[in-house]
Amino acid sequence: MARTRSGLSPRSGPLLVALVPLGFLAVFFVWPVVAIVRLGFGEGGVLAVLGSADTWQLVAFTVGQAAASTALAVLAGLPVAYLLARTSVPGRGLVRVVILVPFVLPTVVVGLAFRTLLPDGGVLAIVLANSFFNVAVVARTVAGLWSHLDGRAADAARSLGASPLRAFTSVTLPALAPALTSAAAVVFLFCATSFGVVLILGGSRYRTLETEIYLRTVELLDLSGAAALSLVQLVAVVAALSVGALARRRRESALRLRGRASVARRPRGALSWTVVGVALAVVTLLLVPVVVLVARSFDGGLAGYRALAGFGHEESLQVSGWEAAANSLRAATDATVLAVVLGTLASVVLVSLSRGRTRRGVVETMDTVLMLPLGVSAVTVGFGYLVTLDLLPGDLRTSPALVPLAQALVVTPLVIRMLLPVLRSIDTRLRQAAASLGASPWRVWREVDVPVAGRSLLTAVAFGYVVALGEFGATSFLARPDTATLPVAVARLLARPGELNNQMAYAACALLVAVTVAAVAMVESVGRSRVVEF
Amino acid sequence: MALTVSGLTVHYGTVAAVSDVDLAVADGEVLALLGPSGCGKSTLLRAVAGLEPASGRVCWDDVDLAGVPVHRRGFGLVFQDGQLFPHRDVVGNVEFGLRMRGEPRTDRVAELLELVGLTGYERRRVHELSGGEQQRVALARALAPRPRLLLLDEPLSALDRALREQLAMDLARVLETTGSTALVVTHDHDEAFTLADRVAVMRAGRIIQVGEPAEVWRRPVDEDTARFLGCGEVLSATVAGGVARCALGEVRLPWAADGRARLGLRPTALRPADEGVPGEVVHRVHRRDHVRLRVRVDGRLVDAVAGMGDAPPVGAEVRLAMDEDGVALLPA
């Protein structure tokens, strides 16, 4: 009996290619993190730290503020999701841009903006800032599912006597649950590991695990304490990621079951208009911090912008503002190139494996592992680099290459989340049609997958670029004073006294805002992308 | 024989979707694989295309295709829902197979668009096309590189009825004009009989019967096949001198051999007449071009049809006579 071979899925190819992103992950992520964990255990500080009441207070505050921020982001994001998915109100494209900007704004910029709005800072400012970042995640993830939800199920409920609200809570909301859970898990993760805003807004009074790790490492040199806290955080992160992965699995099957996308229409009825009103209010509120920050940057005329040519009040910086900007651009470019290559490879591997007959669990585990860097604190990673990388040849630890490597680690998961859904959405039969017309497996990729996913790749590049540009957690650890990036320079300026430093920081943040808005506008103009859908 | 399939089996886990199938398609012949959904007919087609790992042999002109991947088989494929390349226009889709072979293409594309009735559609985007137009483009795309064998997987099922009948006729014409050798998978016997030179009836992963459409229609090999082909009633009968007799009367079947047999009755097998078995109409509904009756005969309910003009009302006493066209003959 001969075996007829399919010829479409050579098994070993994808697994070999998988070694590249997985290898990168192993050297620049797993190793440093494991080293931190071992360091924590090695010095025997773990038990002491775990037993201390301070630690659990820290955990309670971290979880508490993350939960509050997540709840707020969900409450604010749902009406916006409705607006995006179910209505044809003019200006929806603008809404998509406006909510996306906060997500990619550098954390130092957001921290400074909220400090300007609420000079006393505190818990409220932290929670507001954290949810400000993540409204887009909720709105766009939920809208992604909602716009494909067959509205006839809710119509059926209405015809059976349910009020509009009842139809929503009993039919629509459960159907949206997978997207909602997935988004909430990711948002919780981002809020729990949020670094820049807590550092700027919390000062020394309000500390989370993330900022505490940083403080213990940098200021107290308490490595074992930092390692122990990293360990606690790691456990929490893996738990949240697993919840997210489970939800994503349900969401993808929900998407597969979808009917034809329902037609968006003008809102009808009091409930619908109320929701739209709330959504527009949310969008307006999202604009406030950004506008205030940019306005503030012109307070002293152009003084702040002129000061960028210098080094700040009493030489607060070792590089000029413009040099820091140039450092940022260089590092972000390298990081983006690296992340796009790695992310593309990983997506191709994941989609090839799931198209073949590889066990589903294997693919999902790999997917989750590749998402890990998104959740594990950038500070932990940066700290891990300091501990491990001098063992590598080429004195990497003091090399300027370290910053883009760390940034790439943060950006790669985002690239994967943007490419993978598009590649997965390509009907296998479309590829089979190409094969039956004579296209070899490679040719099928070139003729079908690449053109279909091409736009998403472009958006991934632009999006990855701004995220790298604004990365603060790991960069603040790794950039040396003479290779400081703009966000790092801003944080340093804010930590030093002097009105000139303040003006300079505002001007630098306004520049970062400008770059971010431009990139987001480009992402959106390329087409309706599925950016930030988790 | 151009295509020969022998001992083909496809497993999904422990379930055999296709088991031990033998099949042959001659050069220029159109064979329909007919069966209810889930019978394994599409899986068989996919195995022939090389898309499904299978055991057994698939040969073309006696050459085993075991090691030949999909893209080197030269078999055209048309799916139920077109699967046109969304990023290419009509020409881009039709010329795809020619490009893969590095052939010049303009004349051939125009020729095919004319064949499927879409001249002038060259630069249309595929998502602007109607379902029927998309299927025409898919057909043109599959035919463009002159495939050795055309594989059609429920090519008309996604269309509404009027369009389906029109396209079935067009498809039959195209297959004939191009002299294509083809394997068509369908669950619709009208479609199978319209398109195919021979029909293979499939059930539960096995081929039950192969024959010319009229032959399969008249002589299903067993009761399940008869019921799948529309016989609502199966009765035992005796045939003598070209006349079959059963509980509901007698009918002339000049082609039937003498002896014991069973008759499969489609609704059109019984019609109101002056003579025949007596019964009472208990239900009637209007169909497209006839009236369907439910008649109680001897305490049993049977289907019958009447013309639009002379259909008896509910409660009427009628006599039913048998009509040769609605009768199938089964082995005893």
Side-chain angles (χ1 to χ4, degrees):
Chain A
M1 293 262 241
R3 263 193 100 69
T4 324
R5 282 220 353 257
S6 109
L8 260 185
S9 52
R11 294 273 178 89
S12 50
L15 287 173
L16 279 178
V17 179
L19 289 179
V20 178
L22 287 178
F24 178 83
L25 206 63
V27 174
F28 293 104
F29 178 70
V30 178
W31 184 32
V33 172
V34 168
I36 291 295
V37 172
R38 283 188 50 187
L39 189 69
F41 278 112
E43 295 191 6
V46 174
L47 285 179
V49 172
L50 286 183
S52 120
D54 284 357
T55 305
W56 295 106
Q57 261 177 6
L58 216 53
V59 170
F61 180 71
T62 306
V63 170
Q65 64 86 19
S69 308
T70 307
L72 190 58
V74 168
L75 284 179
L78 266 182
V80 181
Y82 174 78
L83 178 77
L84 290 179
R86 290 312 235 197
T87 66
S88 57
V89 178
R92 275 187 314 154
L94 193 64
V95 170
R96 291 174 67 87
V97 173
V98 169
I99 61 166
L100 191 52
V101 166
F103 182 74
V104 272
L105 273 182
T107 53
V108 287
V109 174
V110 176
L112 183 56
F114 276 84
R115 202 168 83 169
T116 314
L117 276 174
L118 303 164
D120 294 335
V123 184
L124 179 68
I126 293 177
V127 169
L128 283 177
N130 271 337
S131 43
F132 168 81
F133 273 120
N134 291 306
V135 169
V137 176
V138 176
R140 298 185 62 142
T141 304
V142 174
L145 181 58
W146 206 339
S147 62
H148 291 299
L149 211 60
D150 197 328
R152 286 173 299 177
D155 294 345
R158 292 297 310 284
S159 75
L160 292 168
S163 67
L165 189 64
R166 189 78 194 279
F168 174 75
T169 52
S170 61
V171 175
T172 310
L173 199 58
L176 294 177
L180 212 52
T181 325
S182 171
V186 170
V187 171
F188 182 83
L189 211 59
F190 286 156
C191 294
T193 59
S194 148
F195 176 58
V197 283
V198 182
L199 199 64
I200 292 178
L201 296 173
S204 55
R205 276 171 58 219
Y206 299 104
R207 285 177 294 182
T208 60
L209 282 172
E210 183 86 1
T211 55
E212 183 71 10
I213 294 168
Y214 176 79
L215 292 175
R216 289 212 185 177
T217 315
V218 174
E219 292 179 3
L220 308 175
L221 298 176
D222 172 16
L223 290 189
S224 66
L229 292 177
S230 299
L231 193 62
V232 172
Q233 199 181 30
L234 202 61
V235 173
V237 160
V238 171
L241 269 180
S242 309
V243 171
L246 215 70
R248 200 159 53 238
R249 172 180 184 166
R250 282 168 50 201
R251 186 174 72 102
E252 273 171 11
S253 51
L255 274 176
R256 263 197 296 280
L257 292 173
R258 76 192 180 188
R260 202 167 262 274
S262 309
V263 186
R265 51 186 180 207
R266 296 187 65 79
R268 285 184 315 180
L271 183 68
S272 186
W273 278 110
T274 310
V275 175
V276 169
V278 172
L280 292 176
V282 168
V283 173
T284 314
L285 284 176
L286 289 178
L287 281 172
V288 171
V290 181
V291 172
V292 167
L293 180 113
V294 174
R296 176 72 172 74
S297 78
F298 291 104
D299 253 13
L302 291 175
Y305 293 90
R306 271 194 295 272
L308 285 175
F311 299 84
H313 180 67
E314 290 180 341
E315 311 274 305
S316 295
L317 301 176
Q318 288 191 25
V319 287
S320 75
W322 294 118
E323 279 165 357
N327 285 339
S328 278
L329 295 179
R330 261 196 307 272
T333 307
D334 294 346
T336 308
V337 170
L338 194 57
V340 166
V341 170
L342 290 169
T344 308
L345 286 178
S347 305
V348 166
V349 169
L350 284 172
V351 80
S352 309
L353 290 179
S354 52
R355 278 171 189 163
R357 297 200 161 183
T358 312
R359 283 240 308 283
R360 193 163 171 177
V362 175
V363 181
E364 269 166 16
T365 308
M366 202 167 135
D367 194 350
T368 304
V369 166
L370 287 166
M371 286 304 111
L372 271 178
L374 211 55
V376 173
S377 119
V379 171
T380 307
V381 174
F383 179 25
Y385 279 15
L386 296 186
V387 180
T388 52
L389 293 186
D390 55 336
L391 296 176
L392 284 185
D395 202 11
L396 201 53
R397 204 175 66 160
T398 55
S399 148
L402 210 49
V403 170
L405 281 174
Q407 291 177 350
L409 198 64
V410 178
V411 176
T412 307
L414 293 175
V415 174
I416 295 175
R417 277 276 77 81
M418 288 163 74
L419 280 184
L420 198 57
V422 181
L423 289 175
R424 282 204 177 135
S425 71
I426 298 173
D427 196 314
T428 330
R429 291 173 305 156
L430 192 65
R431 315 178 82 251
Q432 291 171 347
S436 79
L437 291 164
S440 65
W442 277 115
R443 196 85 196 261
V444 172
W445 275 100
R446 217 180 79 200
E447 299 282 348
V448 178
D449 299 80
V450 172
V452 172
R455 284 179 160 195
S456 299
L457 190 64
L458 261 183
T459 28
V461 170
F463 198 69
Y465 192 78
V466 279
V467 171
L469 208 56
E471 208 287 326
F472 179 62
T475 309
S476 63
F477 244 102
L478 300 172
R480 287 169 302 154
D482 60 324
T483 59
T485 61
L486 210 46
V488 173
V490 168
R492 192 164 177 77
L493 287 169
L494 290 177
R496 301 288 166 102
E499 177 54 21
L500 181 69
N501 282 352
N502 255 329
Q503 284 176 344
M504 210 172 148
Y506 276 110
C509 284
L511 286 183
L512 285 167
V513 168
V515 175
T516 308
V517 171
V520 168
M522 197 206 109
V523 165
E524 280 300 317
S525 69
V526 166
R528 287 198 44 162
S529 60
R530 298 188 51 191
V531 178
V532 204
E533 290 184 25
F534 285 90
Chain B
M1 284 291 173
L3 176 77
T4 42
V5 173
S6 41
L8 193 82
T9 299
V10 180
H11 280 283
Y12 285 139
T14 54
V15 182
V18 173
S19 32
D20 199 22
V21 162
D22 296 318
L23 195 66
V25 184
D27 205 19
E29 185 186 36
V30 178
L31 178 80
L33 282 174
L34 176 64
S37 53
C39 73
K41 54 192 191 303
S42 285
T43 308
L44 173 55
L45 179 109
R46 293 169 52 80
V48 169
L51 294 169
E52 211 69 60
S55 56
R57 283 159 59 87
V58 175
C59 299
W60 185 262
D61 286 343
D62 295 328
V63 179
D64 193 339
L65 298 178
V68 183
V70 187
H71 64 284
R72 299 222 179 81
R73 292 200 176 188
F75 293 175
L77 192 52
V78 176
F79 290 105
Q80 180 175 343
D81 50 353
Q83 294 297 335
L84 300 179
F85 302 124
H87 54 291
R88 297 183 179 279
D89 58 12
V90 169
V91 169
N93 269 277
V94 176
E95 70 180 12
F96 189 92
L98 301 170
R99 277 202 307 123
M100 292 305 111
R101 293 162 153 214
E103 281 180 22
R105 39 199 198 242
T106 38
D107 292 353
R108 181 78 181 141
V109 171
E111 189 186 316
L112 278 153
L113 286 181
E114 195 189 336
L115 184 70
V116 298
L118 288 180
T119 303
Y121 279 62
E122 283 79 357
R123 289 298 159 202
R124 291 283 200 95
R125 318 250 346 139
V126 294
H127 55 77
E128 295 167 358
L129 304 178
S130 70
E133 288 163 350
Q134 290 191 11
Q135 280 310 79
R136 288 169 193 269
V137 174
L139 181 64
R141 179 179 74 177
L143 285 171
R146 296 192 170 83
R148 306 191 280 186
L149 174 69
L150 191 59
L151 302 168
L152 303 150
D153 190 358
E154 301 267 12
L156 307 174
S157 298
L159 309 174
D160 56 47
R161 185 161 74 188
L163 193 57
R164 193 162 66 221
E165 286 175 5
Q166 173 61 41
L167 209 57
M169 306 291 279
D170 287 356
L171 182 55
R173 176 183 54 80
V174 167
L175 291 176
E176 196 184 333
T177 324
T178 51
S180 298
T181 309
L183 197 57
V184 189
V185 158
T186 177
H187 65 270
D188 180 310
H189 38 74
D190 276 344
E191 206 169 292
F193 295 160
T194 308
L195 297 173
D197 301 314
R198 278 192 308 144
V199 173
V201 180
M202 240 182 126
R203 191 165 65 238
R206 294 176 186 280
I207 289 189
I208 306 295
Q209 183 176 10
V210 185
E212 291 182 5
E215 184 66 11
V216 172
W217 188 246
R218 272 183 182 168
R219 297 175 187 267
V221 289
D222 58 23
E223 189 172 330
D224 282 344
T225 308
R227 290 191 185 277
F228 175 65
L229 294 176
C231 301
E233 200 74 38
V234 176
L235 302 169
S236 51
T238 47
V239 182
V243 176
R245 289 186 182 76
C246 69
L248 291 175
E250 54 180 59
V251 60
R252 274 179 47 73
L253 298 176
W255 38 269
D258 287 358
R260 292 174 52 74
R262 280 181 299 165
L263 295 184
L265 305 189
R266 302 192 171 92
T268 52
L270 293 169
R271 293 174 184 276
D274 297 336
E275 307 224 326
V277 291
E280 183 199 351
V281 177
V282 294
H283 193 62
R284 64 174 246 176
V285 286
H286 280 271
R287 303 298 300 270
R288 258 198 306 181
D289 51 359
H290 64 271
V291 175
R292 177 74 69 85
L293 303 174
R294 200 95 168 113
V295 182
R296 193 192 314 277
V297 178
D298 263 359
R300 123 173 50 208
L301 285 175
V302 296
D303 285 322
V305 297
M308 303 285 266
D310 54 358
V314 172
E317 297 289 331
V318 290
R319 285 179 176 278
L320 297 176
M322 294 179 74
D323 181 338
E324 178 188 345
D325 283 350
V327 177
L329 187 74
L330 285 72

